[in-house]
Amino acid sequence: MLSEHSVAGQVLVLQLALVVLLVVAAGIALALQAQQASLEEAKQRSAVAALAFAHAPGTAAAMESADPTARLQPRAEDARKEAGLDYLVAFSPSGIRWTHPDPQLIGKHVPGGYAPALAGRKVTSTSSSAFGRAVDTTVPVKDPDSRVVGLVAAGIKVQRTNEWALQRLPLLIGSAAGALVIGIGGVALMSRRLRRQTHGLDPAELARMYDHHDAVLHAVREGVLIIGSDGRLLLANDEARRLLDLPDDAEHRRVTELGLEPGTAALLASGRAATDEVHPAGDRLLAVNIRPTAPYGGPAGTAVTLRDTTELQALTGKAEVAQRRLKLLYDAGMRIGSTLDVARTAEELASVAVPRFADVVSVELLEPVLRGDEPTGEHAPMRRLAVRGVPEDSAAYRVGEHIRFVPGSPITAGIAGARPVLVRDLRAEHAWRAQDPVDTQRILDNGIRSLIAVPLRARGVVLGLANFWRAETSEVFGAEDLSFAEELAARAAVSIDNARRYTREHATTITLQRSLLPRALPEQSALEVAHRYLPAQAGVGGDWFDLIPLPGARVALVVGDVVGHGLHAAATMGRLRTAVLNFSALDLPPDELLGHLDELVSHIDTDEARTGGMGADDEYGGEGAVRPRDHPHPNGTTTDGASAGGAAGGTGPYTAPGPDGAPPPDASPDPDTTPLGDEALVGDSSAGITGATCLYVIYDPAAGRVTLARAGHPGPALVRPDGSVSFPDVPVSPPLGLGGGLPVETVDLTLPEGSRLVLYTDGLIEDRERDIDTGLELLRSTLADAPDRSPEQTCTAVLDAMLPQHPSDDIALLVARTKLLAPDRIAEWEVPSDPAAVGRVRAACMRTLETWGLDEIGFTTELILSELITNAIRYGAQPIRVRLLHDRALICEVSDGTSASPHLRRATTTDEGGRGLFLVAQFAQRWGTRYTPSGKVIWTEQTLDGMRPAGGPGDGGIDTLLDQWDEPAL
């Protein structure tokens, strides 16, 4: 038997009383719940029965009949019996009963309380009735016009609901009895276990024993821990808490979650036996002893004792300091210089040193360093780039502000001598405080007491200054700290200098690349053009594009790609673009132009291979380079339609690297090494440019014909006006420099007006995560989505759908929508080989000019045509044709069947001929010769306003020129 004085006995009595009380309360609650459930069931049954009878077919008609009782009474009684109701009454809106279980009440008036039902609502309530208190539901009956023609009331006596609840009472009593038995059994088991654990002691004895053990536990000068088999801390005395700096809630947490040193935590959690093993705990060294508790009758776990052996630190302190410094230097080598950004490198220096070496670190750099320039010998103002250890608003100088050190201060002397400065007590350094009394006082108010200022010097040049500050709560800087700060700053200075030089070289590359790419569209009326150019994440590259006006209102579209990134790729792109412009000035067909370009690239590669290469191949870091940030590219146009170079047009975004961009960490220099040389920064160009690709397209708006040729470049996409998208089968030739003299093939297409040509580089359709077939299909679906897009909208839609998240290659995109020269602006004549025909053709041309409203330039045009037609008849062969094109300028073309080309020269006094072509050159804005498979075409262009070209003859000089005219030639 349990003694009522023992802890177990007292707990048993309390638990039994509590179980009985809970069981009785639960039984009462269940009985009340059963009664309430019965009442709710009665409400639901009455409501369902009333609604069903009210909405039954014929109910409304019966209520409107001559004798509602005869028709409704039998049905109401049947429904009442089926539903188990005590009554089901139908009555008129005036309250006269039509049906009732008691026939004597039929025709009697129903007591009040059904006004809400007359309003059209269902009413359920508990009220008195002819059968006693009942649960009643009254619903209206409406005719098709929603007029209330009667009411139906269904009810169940409350007495019946109580009977239903009593039927459930035996089950409730049985459940309560079962719960009581189970509760008493559980209490008995718990009391038995408690008796074994308390050994039958009464509360006073148990409290006295616990107080004695607790006093002994916390009185000893050794730390004591009890750790369970699951690695959780069960008990810790005061000494253990002090030695390990344990949190207040340390009990019942795993020892690995208490913030201990990793080695100490691993030992305590291992459960293995240990004897006087020394482990660190903060700034202490502890001797740890561990023994298992199971052999001594306790549960599985370990008992740990700790002794403070801090006196050993006096012997090992210097070694530990040196080890920490070496680790900090190693971390600095890994973390400083992870990018080639000057500001980021300064921030990394500050982050590494706080709080392991200093409480606050600030870094200032000279302004030329931020721009990538070489610092001059002058001590210009510095800009603070990084502050760590205090909020920015508490710093003496905020990040981004300029700092000028006054003469005579210790920091100024340190910068001048390129040597570190140690100030042990800033409060006593009056020269430092005189520099800025207000802000230096703020520094002192923040608790800063000690300073080391180290100039950041690389290759003998001071780049900036690193300031290490310690608060009054930390140890004052000493001589050893000065040497360490100098070493740390030297490592950071190398990284800052490399980042500065990278900034310079990268800015040079960006400037070159932007200067070589087209900036504005030349004026032309053959195509509506838009473009986009986006550099890769690796930096600027060799993708390029161009739009070149050609004679005869034609336009050339060019897209090319140079392998690689960086300065060399940008320079090579410029060389190729210049070559294409020069070849285009010769008015060569696409196949011949690409053939000449291939030969040129082969010569360039041969020369570079012979000399070993000059220039830069990649930016510093190769593929790891700046991630560009997009910014708009201004749109502009040129007024000189004859500009041979042309430029790109459209208004798309032009992306360039931002000032805060830098390569990924794997591209950073090793700060432990010497500074990188120029070749490491700009790369090597000895690889040449073999592998460059090009797509060249000529569009003739007079015929709607396009001629295409490509050298290793992806073919264009063609979007016809009906929205169909295709990729024309353009024969592909090897990339430039690899053709080996093989001929380039072309393809001719005739396009309807409004067709869109989409030219692009492979960076658009191919990526590391997307093959070329997938890219082409995505491009096809994007172009087919909206056939009525403008070129600008097409560029935007294509880039939105296809631009990779991190482009690994440049992307050039050129979209051109074709236009046709109106037939009434084209005139053409066949010319027989008869000098007499010159006058007839000339007259026909003059009539055409009058039709076009170009009488003002009729005289000069007549002179030009007379010379060209006469020369074609005299020196050429059939067929001879004359064609006039009315475009932005008046274009005159005379073609014949020979390939002999006239040459401009100045005739001497004794020459009989040679003056006519000179006259043509003087009056025409431009002129030239274009060769065709069947002969040649000599063309001229004249401005529509009648203005003569600069340097042309004035009105007063016409007679002089006519005096030199070759009369027989007319």
Side-chain angles (χ1 to χ4, degrees):
M1 285 297 292
L2 295 175
S3 172
E4 61 181 6
H5 299 290
S6 66
V7 173
Q10 293 179 9
V11 170
L12 175 61
V13 173
L14 291 175
Q15 287 181 335
L16 285 176
L18 182 61
V19 167
V20 172
L21 180 61
L22 290 177
V23 170
V24 171
I28 294 173
L30 288 174
L32 294 176
Q33 183 180 7
Q35 184 180 10
Q36 184 64 29
S38 299
L39 188 61
E40 289 298 324
E41 181 183 356
K43 291 181 179 180
Q44 293 178 3
R45 289 175 64 178
S46 66
V48 170
L51 288 171
F53 189 80
H55 295 117
T59 300
M63 289 182 176
E64 293 180 326
S65 66
D67 189 1
T69 301
R71 299 182 61 179
L72 294 177
Q73 176 67 9
R75 294 172 56 189
E77 285 303 298
D78 292 341
R80 179 184 66 79
K81 295 174 182 179
E82 288 291 334
L85 304 174
D86 289 313
Y87 61 87
L88 182 63
V89 178
F91 55 97
S92 67
S94 60
I96 302 301
R97 294 187 181 97
W98 288 327
T99 67
H100 197 277
D102 186 359
Q104 296 180 359
L105 296 179
I106 295 176
K108 300 297 180 66
H109 194 276
V110 177
Y114 52 87
L118 285 175
R121 300 197 305 268
K122 181 188 73 171
V123 180
T124 300
S125 62
T126 302
S127 59
S128 299
S129 67
F131 297 92
R133 192 165 181 77
V135 177
D136 178 87
T137 299
T138 302
V139 298
V141 180
K142 299 179 181 179
D143 61 4
D145 297 331
S146 298
R147 183 172 56 85
V148 177
V149 297
L151 300 101
V152 176
I156 299 175
K157 294 187 294 184
V158 174
Q159 181 180 357
R160 291 184 62 187
T161 63
N162 295 334
E163 292 174 357
W164 295 346
L166 290 176
Q167 292 174 2
R168 301 176 185 174
L169 191 58
L171 177 61
L172 296 178
I173 294 175
S175 300
L180 182 61
V181 171
I182 294 173
I184 292 174
V187 168
L189 291 176
M190 292 175 58
S191 299
R192 182 179 179 185
R193 181 177 180 84
L194 182 61
R195 182 175 61 85
R196 288 200 306 268
Q197 293 177 348
T198 58
H199 301 286
L201 298 175
D202 62 32
E205 293 173 339
L206 190 61
R208 185 167 55 254
M209 180 179 294
Y210 174 80
D211 292 340
H212 176 74
H213 290 176
D214 188 61
V216 173
L217 179 67
H218 296 293
V220 297
R221 289 295 87 194
E222 286 190 356
V224 178
L225 303 174
I226 303 297
I227 301 174
S229 58
D230 58 353
R232 296 183 183 275
L233 179 63
L234 303 179
L235 180 66
N237 68 348
D238 292 342
E239 183 68 8
R241 289 179 178 276
R242 185 184 69 83
L243 295 176
L244 297 177
D245 194 19
L246 296 177
D248 296 337
D249 59 345
E251 277 84 358
H252 306 296
R253 292 174 57 184
R254 296 186 181 276
V255 293
T256 55
E257 301 174 355
L258 299 178
L260 306 178
E261 293 288 339
T264 304
L267 174 63
L268 297 179
S270 66
R272 65 177 178 86
T275 301
D276 288 337
E277 290 192 14
V278 179
H279 288 269
D283 57 351
R284 299 182 178 89
L285 289 176
L286 303 180
V288 182
N289 292 273
I290 302 178
R291 293 292 183 274
T293 59
Y296 304 97
T302 55
V304 182
T305 59
L306 309 169
R307 291 200 316 277
D308 188 358
T309 58
T310 308
E311 63 274 8
L312 296 177
Q313 288 184 340
L315 301 176
T316 59
K318 292 185 178 181
E320 290 182 356
V321 171
Q323 183 180 8
R324 289 197 298 269
R325 294 287 171 82
L326 288 174
K327 189 174 185 305
L328 180 55
L329 286 177
Y330 172 78
D331 293 342
M334 296 298 294
R335 294 172 56 185
I336 298 177
S338 63
T339 66
L340 286 173
D341 180 77
V342 174
R344 188 81 56 83
T345 305
E347 292 174 357
E348 290 168 347
L349 169 60
S351 298
V352 166
V354 175
R356 297 163 65 181
F357 177 68
D359 296 317
V360 180
V361 174
S362 61
V363 181
E364 297 91 30
L365 296 179
L366 292 167
E367 285 291 338
V369 175
L370 303 180
R371 299 191 299 267
D373 298 333
E374 185 83 18
T376 62
E378 303 174 358
H379 297 296
M382 296 185 182
R383 181 184 296 180
R384 176 158 291 172
L385 293 186
V387 176
R388 287 291 185 275
V390 294
E392 182 180 346
D393 57 0
S394 66
Y397 298 95
R398 283 120 181 118
V399 173
E401 291 189 0
H402 290 81
I403 303 172
R404 183 181 294 275
F405 300 100
V406 298
S409 69
I411 297 179
T412 303
I415 296 175
R419 55 181 175 81
V421 175
L422 169 62
V423 181
R424 297 180 183 274
D425 189 356
L426 293 173
R427 293 170 295 184
E429 186 60 49
H430 299 291
W432 173 78
R433 299 186 65 178
Q435 174 176 310
D436 191 338
V438 176
D439 287 331
T440 53
Q441 185 60 44
R442 291 176 58 193
I443 293 177
L444 296 177
D445 293 342
N446 286 329
I448 302 298
R449 291 294 179 267
S450 185
L451 165 67
I452 292 180
V454 185
L456 297 170
R457 186 176 61 173
R459 297 181 293 108
V461 178
V462 174
L463 306 176
L465 186 69
N467 299 302
F468 304 92
W469 315 77
R470 280 186 182 175
E472 57 187 358
T473 56
S474 301
E475 185 179 353
V476 175
F477 282 124
E480 293 182 357
D481 297 318
L482 184 67
S483 300
F484 176 78
E486 191 173 9
E487 175 67 20
L488 186 62
R491 291 171 177 260
V494 173
S495 298
I496 291 175
D497 187 55
N498 284 337
R500 176 196 64 80
R501 299 172 67 198
Y502 167 78
T503 301
R504 178 193 64 198
E505 299 300 337
H506 191 69
T508 302
T509 303
I510 291 296
T511 303
L512 173 63
Q513 188 257 359
R514 293 183 62 181
S515 66
L516 294 177
L517 279 173
R519 291 180 179 269
L521 276 175
E523 292 185 358
Q524 49 82 33
S525 57
L527 297 169
E528 180 185 354
V529 181
H531 76 276
R532 298 288 189 275
Y533 175 79
L534 293 104
Q537 186 176 5
V540 296
D543 287 15
W544 57 282
F545 58 91
D546 218 332
L547 184 145
I548 307 170
L550 297 177
R554 297 170 303 136
V555 175
L557 299 173
V558 193
V559 174
D561 188 359
V562 176
V563 177
H565 298 91
L567 190 61
H568 179 60
T572 301
M573 175 267 289
R575 297 165 75 181
L576 293 182
R577 179 170 178 252
T578 302
V580 170
L581 291 173
N582 292 333
F583 289 144
S584 297
L586 301 177
D587 205 356
L588 299 175
D591 53 345
E592 293 185 24
L593 186 143
L594 290 183
H596 287 300
L597 197 61
D598 176 75
E599 184 178 0
L600 175 65
V601 171
S602 298
H603 286 311
I604 293 176
D605 284 341
T606 301
D607 294 341
E608 291 193 353
R610 185 182 299 114
T611 60
M614 297 178 62
D617 177 62
D618 276 343
E619 297 175 73
Y620 172 43
E623 288 295 323
V626 175
R627 168 64 179 161
R629 293 192 301 179
D630 296 342
H631 62 83
H633 177 276
N635 180 38
T637 58
T638 61
T639 58
D640 183 9
S643 174
T651 56
Y654 181 89
T655 59
D660 58 348
D666 58 345
S668 63
D670 184 359
D672 293 332
T673 64
T674 58
L676 300 178
D678 290 336
E679 183 177 355
L681 286 170
V682 301
D684 178 24
S685 62
S686 60
I689 60 176
T690 298
T693 65
C694 184
L695 171 63
Y696 192 85
V697 179
I698 293 179
Y699 175 67
D700 184 358
R705 184 182 303 108
V706 61
T707 304
L708 307 97
R710 58 176 174 148
H713 200 86
L718 174 61
V719 185
R720 297 187 180 273
D722 61 0
S724 61
V725 180
S726 62
F727 295 93
D729 187 11
V730 182
V732 60
S733 300
L736 300 176
L738 302 176
L742 296 176
V744 179
E745 299 183 50
T746 63
V747 65
D748 291 331
L749 301 173
T750 300
L751 305 180
E753 187 173 13
S755 300
R756 282 175 291 166
L757 275 171
V758 181
L759 286 66
Y760 50 86
T761 55
D762 58 358
L764 179 69
I765 59 175
E766 190 174 11
D767 193 65
R768 296 170 182 170
E769 300 178 357
R770 181 175 63 200
D771 58 31
I772 189 169
D773 293 334
T774 304
L776 288 174
E777 186 58 33
L778 181 57
L779 177 60
R780 180 196 301 273
S781 61
T782 302
L783 294 175
D785 281 346
D788 56 345
R789 288 192 184 113
S790 67
E792 279 293 335
Q793 293 170 337
T794 302
C795 285
T796 302
V798 168
L799 291 183
D800 289 345
M802 304 190 62
L803 184 63
Q805 185 176 4
H806 301 290
S808 59
D809 196 6
D810 295 15
I811 295 175
L813 177 63
L814 192 64
V815 179
R817 182 156 60 188
T818 61
K819 301 178 182 178
L820 289 178
L821 197 60
D824 58 357
R825 286 177 172 253
I826 304 174
E828 191 170 6
W829 298 270
E830 295 282 346
V831 181
S833 299
D834 181 6
V838 175
R840 296 192 302 271
V841 175
R842 187 172 57 220
C845 292
M846 294 306 100
R847 288 192 297 271
T848 301
L849 291 184
E850 292 177 2
T851 303
W852 289 344
L854 301 179
D855 309 64
E856 186 177 354
I857 60 174
F859 177 71
T860 56
T861 305
E862 186 175 4
L863 291 177
I864 292 171
L865 287 174
S866 295
E867 173 62 22
L868 296 182
I869 297 173
T870 301
N871 285 342
I873 294 175
R874 175 178 295 181
Y875 304 109
Q878 287 291 337
I880 300 175
R881 295 184 178 88
V882 175
R883 187 171 73 160
L884 298 181
L885 302 176
H886 183 194
D887 191 35
R888 292 178 178 270
L890 177 64
I891 302 170
C892 302
E893 296 181 346
V894 178
S895 62
D896 64 80
T898 64
S899 59
S901 175
H903 296 281
L904 180 67
R905 66 184 178 87
R906 184 178 296 276
T908 63
T909 306
T910 59
D911 287 342
E912 296 182 359
R915 297 174 180 83
L917 195 59
F918 179 78
L919 185 65
V920 170
Q922 292 296 310
F923 279 98
Q925 187 76 16
R926 296 197 309 166
W927 77 279
T929 304
R930 177 169 77 253
Y931 295 96
T932 65
S934 60
K936 69 176 181 297
V937 177
I938 301 178
W939 56 269
T940 65
E941 287 186 6
Q942 299 168 257
T943 59
L944 301 180
D945 56 6
M947 297 295 294
R948 297 187 179 94
D955 292 339
I958 292 181
D959 293 337
T960 303
L961 287 171
L962 291 178
D963 289 341
Q964 303 180 35
W965 190 262
D966 189 3
E967 290 293 342
L970 297 176

